[in-house]
Amino acid sequence: MEQITQLVETITKGIQEKKGQRIVVADLQGIEGAIARYFVICQGNSPAQVEAITESIGDFARKTLGEKPATVAGLENAQWVAMDYGDVLVHVFLPDVRDYYDLEHLWDDAGLIQIPDLD
């Protein structure tokens, strides 16, 4: 369990490194049938920033914990990139795409942790 918590913290640092915003960690552990233990959701303001955030997350996880995502999907247009770390799924959105899919509210039963934006 400690390893998963470290992964979530490392992913958050990777997001913050590239000024990702509105970071939310959804704890899905108590939800039967959930596809992961945690979702980490954030946004960038442009496709270039979404791509940079995705790269930063990958670099931080690899260098800090030796973790690599099983898959990364969505980099082609960088509007919504999903990174699969097994127990942790990361979603990096453009703001309008994030608002449209509203993942945080699809998982209303999850404990949601808001991570403050860095200045």
Side-chain angles (χ1 to χ4, degrees):
M1 189 57 171
E2 176 69 26
Q3 187 176 0
I4 295 169
T5 304
Q6 284 182 322
L7 180 57
V8 170
E9 290 173 2
T10 301
I11 288 167
T12 300
K13 288 177 185 169
I15 295 166
Q16 291 173 326
E17 175 71 16
K18 295 301 179 182
K19 306 288 189 236
Q21 298 175 321
R22 292 182 51 212
I23 304 169
V24 173
V25 177
D27 184 343
L28 308 175
Q29 295 179 91
I31 300 174
E32 192 171 325
I35 58 175
R37 291 184 181 191
Y38 292 93
F39 273 10
V40 180
I41 304 164
C42 71
Q43 68 188 44
N45 291 316
S46 68
Q49 187 183 16
V50 167
E51 197 171 320
I53 291 167
T54 302
E55 186 176 313
S56 180
I57 292 166
D59 289 347
F60 268 69
R62 187 178 66 257
K63 291 175 184 174
T64 306
L65 302 172
E67 295 277 351
K68 293 182 181 177
T71 59
V72 177
L75 274 175
E76 308 79 36
N77 59 17
Q79 294 184 20
W80 175 6
V81 176
M83 304 176 78
D84 182 356
Y85 283 94
D87 287 325
V88 181
L89 295 180
V90 184
H91 302 275
V92 186
F93 288 99
L94 287 176
D96 57 335
V97 178
R98 181 181 186 170
D99 291 343
Y100 179 80
Y101 287 101
D102 199 16
L103 288 187
E104 293 94 327
H105 293 102
L106 284 178
W107 298 96
D108 274 348
D109 323 19
L112 299 179
I113 302 161
Q114 312 278 338
I115 308 292
D117 290 345
L118 296 181
D119 291 331

